[in-house]
């Protein structure tokens, strides 16, 4: 662990005895735990014990009851052939252990590497699309006891007003102006916010007129992207972080996955791999081109009117998403400028 990682490592000393006893881990020393600072929403440790290596997660992103449901679903999917880790049960028969109101889960350590989308071969991109389709198919066919209700209708997709988004950009500009000390990061963000306002003024007529998305909907993973995928020898060995299981249109999940997975560090989109991924998905889930196009338009406008990274950074004091701000803003502008090429890549068969 680096010195920086040690400085920001949360102290779980008070909770550790409860975790050890509940999961039957035996006595753990400081050197048995390695904090993993890359997680954005939860806190994670690698735990080495005499009988195995595990991933310990402190659950922060969802209520604990929802985490329990999602972990049970994860176990069912693993038994059904989905590359998911089966959570460990506590001695008391629970997948979540609580210590002073804080929740933890334990999973077997999965080997593999996180590969950004541009590093995948075209074949691997298509394989990822098929895995996404397989996940949606298996989620749809879980037994009633899974805790996932049968989906009967697609959820509404709120279309944020152009003026509301501009007002939000102005609010953050005022916040940055009020800072006693403006760091280079703050100056960059202010410049990007002005660029976002220009995009909103220029492309506001492209927003969807309806809050009714096109195409089928169902239970989805919710955050299927390279930080939550492990690859080994060219295959996906594990899909991680099932916290955001939720009903969405399949087009929304597919376009979001492709947009996050195949964005370069420079904020460009690898359209060739996008096409391979979407084609692999549509091999299993027959989305029509117009449904994919609708999902893409809605995703782009949602990104145009969203400031979640700034909310985390300035309002919550969580700087984990700061590295996403610059490439995300570049991607918004790039997609607007190359709209026809992007739509063709997503809807190609």
């Amino acid at each position: 662990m680096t010195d920086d990682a040690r400085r920001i490592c949360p102290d779980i000393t008070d909770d550790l005895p409860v975790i050890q006893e509940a999961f039957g881990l035996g006595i753990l020393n400081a050197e048995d735990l390695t904090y993993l600072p890359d997680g954005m929403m939860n806190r994670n440790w690698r735990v080495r014990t005499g009988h195995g290596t595990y991933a310990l997660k402190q659950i922060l992103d969802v209520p604990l009851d929802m985490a329990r449901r999602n972990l049970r679903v994860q176990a069912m999917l693993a038994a059904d052939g989905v590359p998911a880790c089966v959570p460990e049960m506590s001695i008391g028969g629970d997948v979540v252990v609580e210590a002073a109101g804080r929740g933890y889960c334990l999973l077997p350590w999965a080997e593999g590497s996180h590969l950004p989308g541009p590093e995948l071969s075209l074949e691997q991109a298509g394989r990822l699309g098929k895995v996404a389709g397989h996940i949606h198919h298996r989620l749809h066919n879980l037994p009633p006891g899974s805790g996932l209700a049968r989906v009967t209708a697609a959820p509404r997709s709120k279309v944020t007003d152009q003026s509301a988004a501009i007002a939000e950009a102005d609010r953050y500009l005022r916040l940055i102006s009020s800072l006693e000390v403006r760091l280079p990061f703050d100056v960059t963000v202010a410049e990007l916010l002005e660029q976002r306002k220009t995009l909103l003024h220029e492309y506001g007529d492209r927003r969807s007129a309806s809050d009714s998305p096109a195409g089928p909907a169902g239970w989805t993973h919710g955050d299927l992207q390279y930080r939550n995928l492990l690859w080994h020898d060219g295959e996906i060995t594990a899909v991680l972080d099932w916290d955001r299981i939720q009903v969405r249109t399949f087009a929304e999940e597919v376009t979001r996955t492709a947009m996050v997975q195949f964005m370069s560090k420079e904020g460009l989109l690898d359209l060739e791999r996008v096409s391979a991924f979407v084609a692999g998905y549509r091999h299993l889930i027959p989305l029509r081109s117009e449904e994919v196009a609708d999902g893409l338009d809605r995703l782009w406008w949602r990104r145009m009117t969203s400031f979640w990274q700034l909310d985390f950074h300035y309002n919550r004091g969580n700087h984990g998403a700061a590295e996403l701000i610059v490439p995300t803003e570049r991607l918004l502008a790039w997609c607007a400028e190359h709209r026809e090429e992007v739509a063709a890549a997503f809807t190609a068969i």
Side-chain angles (χ1 to χ4, degrees):
M1 189 189 303
T2 66
D3 289 340
D4 287 342
R6 288 184 190 279
R7 279 196 294 271
I8 65 172
C9 177
D11 186 4
I12 59 169
T13 303
D14 292 342
D15 296 346
L16 200 54
V18 176
I19 296 168
Q20 292 171 167
E21 182 177 357
F23 286 116
L25 298 177
I27 302 300
L28 297 176
N29 300 312
E31 58 269 22
D32 298 325
L33 277 76
T34 302
Y35 179 58
L36 307 174
D38 295 333
M40 287 187 185
M41 304 303 179
N42 301 293
R43 294 169 178 162
N44 302 278
W45 292 261
R46 186 180 197 175
V47 182
R48 298 182 185 276
T49 73
H51 48 85
T53 303
Y54 300 91
L56 174 68
K57 178 166 75 173
Q58 183 183 357
I59 303 162
L60 301 173
D61 198 29
V62 295
L64 296 186
D65 284 346
M66 183 177 290
R68 287 184 171 92
R69 183 203 69 177
N70 293 345
L71 288 163
R72 289 193 295 267
V73 167
Q74 185 174 334
M76 291 180 182
L77 291 173
D80 211 12
V82 173
C85 300
V86 178
E88 298 291 322
M89 299 289 289
S90 72
I91 293 174
D94 199 348
V95 289
V96 173
V97 166
E98 296 185 46
R102 293 177 289 273
Y104 297 86
C105 64
L106 190 73
L107 301 109
W109 185 261
E111 297 293 342
S113 302
H114 299 287
L115 300 180
E119 293 185 16
L120 302 182
S121 67
L122 291 177
E123 181 183 3
Q124 287 174 314
R127 196 174 306 151
L128 175 57
K130 291 179 180 178
V131 168
H134 182 57
I135 288 172
H136 290 174
H137 178 70
R138 299 320 306 164
L139 280 169
H140 179 72
N141 289 284
L142 286 178
S146 66
L148 303 184
R150 185 64 61 187
V151 178
T152 57
R156 293 295 189 186
S157 177
K158 181 182 178 182
V159 181
T160 302
D161 186 73
Q162 175 188 23
S163 60
I166 292 172
E168 187 70 352
D170 283 333
R171 186 176 73 82
Y172 279 108
L173 283 169
R174 289 193 299 271
L175 186 156
I176 292 170
S177 296
S178 70
L179 295 175
E180 292 185 9
V181 178
R182 290 205 300 168
L183 300 175
F185 173 83
D186 304 310
V187 174
T188 298
V189 170
E191 293 172 352
L192 293 172
L193 283 168
E194 293 291 355
Q195 293 175 25
R196 176 85 75 92
K197 288 173 61 180
T198 299
L199 288 175
L200 286 164
H201 282 296
E202 186 172 356
Y203 297 105
D205 60 340
R206 292 188 183 180
R207 67 185 184 277
S208 301
S210 167
D211 63 356
S212 299
W219 291 98
T220 63
H221 177 277
D223 197 19
L224 195 63
Q225 42 101 346
Y226 75 92
R227 297 176 187 86
N228 292 328
L229 296 169
L230 289 175
W231 293 81
H232 183 68
D233 288 341
E235 300 290 340
I236 296 174
T237 55
V239 178
L240 309 175
D241 194 0
W242 294 79
D243 287 346
R244 300 185 188 180
I245 295 175
Q246 187 175 320
V247 176
R248 302 173 179 85
T249 62
F250 293 147
E252 175 185 350
E253 173 95 339
V254 169
T255 54
R256 180 191 183 277
T257 297
M259 194 74 77
V260 176
Q261 177 72 24
F262 300 107
M263 179 180 73
S264 71
K265 293 180 180 178
E266 295 74 31
L268 305 178
L269 202 56
D270 190 320
L271 296 181
E272 192 174 18
R273 281 162 179 76
V274 164
S275 291
F277 166 77
V278 178
Y281 179 86
R282 294 172 74 185
H283 180 76
L284 293 178
I285 307 292
L287 288 182
R288 298 195 302 270
S289 292
E290 56 267 31
E291 294 167 346
V292 177
D294 178 76
L296 179 60
D297 286 343
R298 290 178 184 278
L299 174 68
W300 177 76
W301 184 251
R302 190 178 303 114
R303 293 272 178 102
M304 284 278 284
T305 57
S306 172
F307 300 88
W308 73 267
Q309 296 104 325
L310 300 186
D311 174 50
F312 271 62
H313 187 84
Y314 289 109
N315 299 333
R316 307 189 194 187
N318 183 334
H319 301 165
E323 65 183 37
L324 301 177
I325 293 175
V326 172
T328 298
E329 292 297 325
R330 288 176 179 167
L331 182 62
L332 283 174
W334 188 85
C335 285
E337 184 179 349
H338 299 83
R339 185 182 185 187
E340 292 185 2
E341 297 170 54
V342 174
F346 273 87
T347 57
I349 296 294

